[in-house]
Amino acid sequence: MFKRILVSLDGSSFAERALPHAEKIARMFGSKIILLRVLETTGEINQPQAVDPLIWQIKKNQAEEYLKETANSVKKRISNKGADVEYDLLQGKPSENIITFAHNENIDLLVMCTHGWGGFSRWNLSSVTQKIINRIYLPVLLIRAYEESEAAETNISYRRILMPVDSSPRSECAFSAGIRFINGENEAAKTINAESKKEQVEPHLFLTTVIRPPEIPVPEPHAEDIRALVDQFMQVSKDAAQQYLNRIKSQLSVPSKIKIIEHHIISQALQRVVEEENIDLIIMCAHGYTGHYNYPYGSVAREMLEFGAKPILIIQDIPLCQVRSSDSEIAAQKTGSAIDDR
């Protein structure tokens, strides 16, 4: 599934927090890891300045040495699993180069952190991360740089995986990834149990559906007959969701639990489950039954990406061949063509 994993680095300890996750997935899938760093050739944004050739060469050599050392370290940690590690250094705008590189190199998964060398801000995603996930249209594993963990942490586990579904075929596209992750955890658990003799939490999926009460165009308090209709609707919805999740659970080859929640806001309900169940990883499809091809993510996936507090793997269900250029991209292409013609 994930044969070629791209890890975006910028030399910061924040960005390096993505490495243990990429290494773990590489062990699970026997993947090749490609480390990529993009050097910007100008100073501040919108303030282009000449680059001193000597300073630039020193900076480039330092970046290459950093990538080489990092690649060797990663290779040592996963060498016994048959995985391979490469690295590449580019120059230019980070977001544009990372996206182009991922598409040209047939990357299956991008692993990156929410923040890089710029450090924390009041926003949960850095501007570079935001640009990349908006236009890459590939599976993305987003690691929270603001979690209380060390960059060099290697004891990564995905024993408790939340999988939100909404009964749509599109939301089910993430099941194969969830199954592979649990199987990978089971294999790792066998080794850990054999070495430590300690009982570990059984890896399992949390199949979760959030049922929203219907919107009623009548001011509250509602009449008794309206409340009765709402209660009837919610009961029918819960029964249908229970049947659906039971069927899915019976078809899965890994341990799983079912959780049905009533809430007006789906993302808030899912965040509550993450906290209550101490979830290690969220795996979900980019779109559900209301999603369409005009946007890279549905509203729930978008909110979980931007406001979540745990690592999240978004499986993109829109193929690159069906991605539509944004208005700004079309305008930029026209402007570039006009400049080229002069």
Side-chain angles (χ1 to χ4, degrees), residues 34-321:
I34 298 97
L35 309 178
L36 178 64
R37 183 171 179 182
V38 181
L39 292 179
E40 293 188 80
T41 56
T42 59
E44 297 295 327
I45 297 175
N46 296 326
Q47 295 182 8
Q49 60 186 21
V51 179
D52 183 279
L54 178 60
I55 295 177
W56 172 253
Q57 191 60 45
I58 293 174
K59 186 177 180 180
K60 183 179 178 182
N61 290 340
Q62 290 174 339
E64 288 179 343
E65 186 63 25
Y66 165 79
L67 285 173
K68 182 179 179 180
E69 292 178 358
T70 304
N72 288 335
S73 298
V74 172
K75 189 176 297 185
K76 289 179 181 178
R77 290 192 289 266
I78 62 174
S79 59
N80 60 334
K81 297 297 180 179
D84 193 14
V85 184
E86 296 179 355
Y87 66 87
D88 209 333
L89 179 66
L90 303 176
Q91 64 182 52
K93 296 181 179 180
S95 54
E96 294 181 5
N97 276 273
I98 291 171
I99 293 171
T100 301
F101 182 91
H103 293 167
N104 291 342
E105 296 297 323
N106 297 318
I107 296 300
D108 300 308
L109 174 67
L110 170 67
V111 182
M112 67 182 305
C113 268
T114 54
H115 299 79
W117 65 268
F120 298 138
S121 65
R122 66 180 65 185
W123 289 275
N124 287 343
L125 300 180
S126 69
S127 59
V128 173
T129 300
Q130 184 74 263
K131 293 175 182 177
I132 292 171
I133 65 175
N134 278 345
R135 298 305 301 170
I136 197 163
Y137 282 93
L138 291 173
V140 174
L141 174 59
L142 190 64
I143 309 303
R144 312 294 176 179
Y146 43 82
E147 276 194 294
E148 294 182 0
S149 60
E150 296 297 327
E153 182 183 0
T154 57
N155 189 26
I156 301 295
S157 67
Y158 305 130
R159 296 182 179 277
R160 304 167 71 85
I161 298 178
L162 176 66
M163 296 203 67
V165 290
D166 62 5
S167 304
S168 70
R170 294 183 74 172
S171 68
E172 297 175 6
C173 73
F175 281 147
S176 58
I179 293 171
R180 291 291 298 274
F181 271 69
I182 293 298
N183 286 333
E185 282 295 339
N186 283 326
E187 290 298 321
K190 293 179 183 178
T191 303
I192 293 175
N193 292 338
E195 294 176 353
S196 65
K197 304 299 181 180
K198 293 182 180 180
E199 185 176 349
Q200 301 289 328
V201 177
E202 181 185 36
H204 57 274
L205 302 175
F206 278 88
L207 305 177
T208 305
T209 291
V210 180
I211 301 175
R212 290 190 296 183
E215 296 183 5
I216 301 175
V218 178
E220 294 186 3
H222 296 144
E224 184 176 346
D225 57 341
I226 294 180
R227 292 198 303 270
L229 286 173
V230 171
D231 292 341
Q232 183 180 1
F233 171 83
M234 295 301 293
Q235 188 59 52
V236 171
S237 298
K238 284 191 287 186
D239 291 343
Q242 188 71 49
Q243 293 177 8
Y244 167 75
L245 293 177
N246 285 338
R247 177 175 59 83
I248 294 297
K249 180 179 179 180
S250 66
Q251 295 173 349
L252 297 178
S253 58
V254 297
S256 58
K257 296 181 180 181
I258 292 175
K259 201 171 187 68
I260 300 175
I261 309 166
E262 294 182 32
H263 204 284
H264 286 278
I265 304 176
I266 297 177
S267 59
Q268 287 187 10
L270 295 177
Q271 297 292 4
R272 185 178 301 174
V273 175
V274 169
E275 296 175 3
E276 293 176 351
E277 301 294 344
N278 193 25
I279 296 298
D280 299 312
L281 174 68
I282 305 163
I283 302 180
M284 62 186 300
C285 188
H287 302 85
Y289 70 90
T290 59
H292 50 78
Y293 290 129
N294 293 336
Y295 304 104
Y297 307 99
S299 59
V300 176
R302 169 68 65 183
E303 290 169 3
M304 296 298 290
L305 275 169
E306 294 190 356
F307 303 110
K310 290 290 184 177
I312 181 170
L313 170 59
I314 299 288
I315 304 299
Q316 183 56 252
D317 61 321
I318 300 179
L320 285 174
C321 61

